[in-house]
């Protein structure tokens, strides 16, 4: 347990409505924070404007409210913090921690997912249509996830130099998420297991910022009955406000938190109060969870 007070967060990308899978991640993060008497923040990750769907932020926030997932403080919007990320990039470029890269999409595809450092020593300068990458060393970055256990990746051979700004000028998720979690004092990241793979590169960025990394808990993804990941793309239905209590019950079941039968039919506040009190990380199944029916 960290000595400092617990600060957790939910950081949705407003590229669509909140679906059952993201509700489960939000709920896990909320319950873990409240169980530890911590604060819980909401940050809207709206940097990739072409992916932002109009009305999605409002819908996500209203859905959280309707599930009783009340956040602390003001909501942070990444789109309003671009200057800060650019300042960090300028520093890293100036001290050689980052460099410009003009590799095309096709080249990158040909590298097979691990960027081999092609532009590292080319000394490219700032120009339109150039990405910025952070150099990674030839080391293994590891951490112990609270649910998934020990995880590690060799940065150079398995990950490659990290893109922190895309060629179209959009700040990459990896940089923004770390800069903001540091800025907001986040001690505990609880999120979906689809981001497990991103964690070692984020740990490297914490190292560059000379800041301690948070603790991590990656909750299992929710799969559709046909084994596909539940996602906005696969069109899982928006959550229906009038069914909030019943859906919350199912979300708790997906996390294997088992409210007593007497709470069947209880409202969201009563259910949440029970779940905060009885939150058990050990009960969460680490592997993807198959839904018994469509949601
Ligand atoms: N914005 C990311 C997403 O919606 C989550 C970021 C995080 O929790 O680190 O997938």
């Amino acid at each position: 347990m960290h000595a400092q007070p617990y600060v957790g967060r939910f950081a949705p990308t407003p590229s669509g409505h909140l679906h059952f899978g993201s509700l489960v991640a939000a709920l896990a993060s909320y319950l873990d924070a409240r169980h530890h008497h911590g604060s819980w923040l909401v940050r809207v990750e709206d940097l990739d404007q072409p992916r932002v769907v109009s009305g999605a932020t409002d819908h996500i926030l209203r859905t959280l409210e309707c599930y009783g997932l009340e956040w602390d403080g003001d909501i942070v919007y990444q789109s309003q913090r671009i200057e800060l990320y650019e300042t960090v990039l300028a520093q890293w470029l100036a001290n050689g921690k980052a460099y410009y890269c003009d590799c095309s999409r096709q080249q990158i595809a040909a590298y097979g997912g691990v960027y081999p450092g092609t532009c590292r020593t080319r000394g490219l300068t700032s120009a339109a249509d150039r990405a910025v990458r952070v150099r990674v060393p030839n080391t293994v970055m590891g951490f112990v996830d609270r649910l998934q256990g020990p995880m590690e990746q060799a940065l150079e051979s398995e990950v490659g130099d990290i893109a922190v700004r895309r060629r179209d000028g959009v700040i990459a998720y990896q940089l923004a998420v770390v800069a903001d979690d540091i800025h907001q004092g986040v001690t505990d990241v609880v999120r979906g297991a689809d981001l497990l793979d991103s964690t070692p590169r984020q740990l490297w960025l914490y190292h560059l910022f000379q800041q301690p990394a948070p603790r991590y808990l990656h909750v299992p993804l929710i799969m559709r009955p046909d084994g596909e990941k539940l996602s906005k793309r696969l069109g899982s239905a928006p959550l229906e406000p009038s069914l909030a209590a019943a859906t919350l019950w199912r979300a708790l079941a997906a996390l294997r938190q088992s409210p007593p039968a007497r709470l069947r039919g209880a409202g969201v506040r009563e259910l949440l109060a029970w779940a905060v009190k009885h939150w058990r990380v050990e009960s969460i199944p680490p592997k993807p969870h198959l839904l018994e029916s469509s949601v």
Side-chain angles (χ1 to χ4, degrees):
M1 197 59 211
H2 283 264
Q4 76 262 48
Y6 183 119
V7 181
R9 57 36 163 208
F10 177 55
T13 301
S15 55
H17 53 255
L18 196 78
H19 59 75
F20 186 73
S22 33
L23 174 72
V24 168
L27 178 64
S29 147
Y30 174 90
L31 293 177
D32 199 55
R34 297 306 191 207
H35 182 77
H36 291 97
H37 308 286
S39 43
W40 190 65
L41 314 176
V42 170
R43 180 174 70 234
V44 176
E45 304 212 319
D46 54 353
L47 283 176
D48 194 354
Q49 285 296 326
R51 280 184 64 217
V52 169
V53 170
S54 133
T57 298
D58 275 359
H59 181 271
I60 291 170
L61 298 178
R62 268 189 286 109
T63 309
L64 292 176
E65 276 167 351
C66 149
Y67 280 80
L69 303 177
E70 284 167 10
W71 56 89
D72 297 305
D74 292 337
I75 292 177
V76 164
Y77 292 85
Q78 290 190 325
S79 56
Q80 293 170 7
R81 294 165 54 75
I82 292 176
E83 246 172 72
L84 175 116
Y85 312 131
E86 291 290 351
T87 308
V88 173
L89 283 188
Q91 275 165 11
W92 288 351
L93 283 162
N95 62 20
K97 296 201 157 54
Y99 61 88
Y100 290 102
C101 163
D102 68 356
C103 289
S104 65
R105 220 179 256 275
Q106 290 88 323
Q107 272 172 292
I108 289 166
Y111 301 143
V114 180
Y115 183 73
T118 313
C119 294
R120 255 191 197 189
T121 52
R122 290 181 59 213
L124 294 174
T125 50
S126 169
D129 215 17
R130 284 188 178 163
V132 176
R133 288 181 184 274
V134 156
R135 294 164 180 268
V136 295
N138 182 13
T139 41
V140 172
M141 201 43 106
F143 68 104
V144 180
D145 187 271
R146 289 170 56 202
L147 182 63
Q148 311 291 338
M151 307 287 306
E152 56 178 39
Q153 274 178 338
L155 286 181
E156 204 168 40
S157 60
E158 290 181 78
V159 176
D161 291 347
I162 307 163
V164 281
R165 191 172 69 198
R166 298 192 326 211
R167 287 182 67 176
D168 61 4
V170 173
I171 299 289
Y173 155 70
Q174 308 289 358
L175 168 61
V177 75
V178 172
D180 288 342
D181 281 340
I182 290 171
H183 182 84
Q184 296 184 275
V186 169
T187 60
D188 287 75
V189 169
V190 179
R191 60 186 178 189
D194 51 337
L195 292 165
L196 251 184
D197 248 19
S198 284
T199 308
R201 67 196 87 169
Q202 292 174 14
L203 291 173
W204 179 248
L205 299 185
Y206 276 95
H207 174 84
L208 291 189
F209 277 111
Q210 299 179 298
Q211 293 290 329
R215 299 195 306 173
Y216 289 99
L217 166 57
H218 287 88
V219 296
L221 296 182
I222 306 295
M223 315 295 265
R224 304 195 312 171
D226 59 8
E228 291 285 355
K229 180 187 158 203
L230 205 64
S231 69
K232 294 161 192 163
R233 194 174 53 80
L234 279 170
S236 78
L239 298 169
E240 174 54 55
S242 62
L243 299 176
T247 309
L248 185 58
W249 183 279
R250 300 182 69 191
L252 288 169
L255 292 164
R256 299 277 195 279
Q257 312 293 306
S258 317
R262 69 177 163 80
L263 286 181
R264 271 245 178 241
V268 289
R269 293 196 187 267
E270 207 181 335
L271 269 180
L272 268 186
W274 178 90
V276 165
K277 190 156 175 222
H278 297 90
W279 173 240
R280 274 175 60 89
V281 170
E282 316 81 83
S283 303
I284 308 172
K287 297 293 160 233
H289 178 80
L290 220 56
L291 280 175
E292 66 289 359
S293 63
S294 293
V295 264

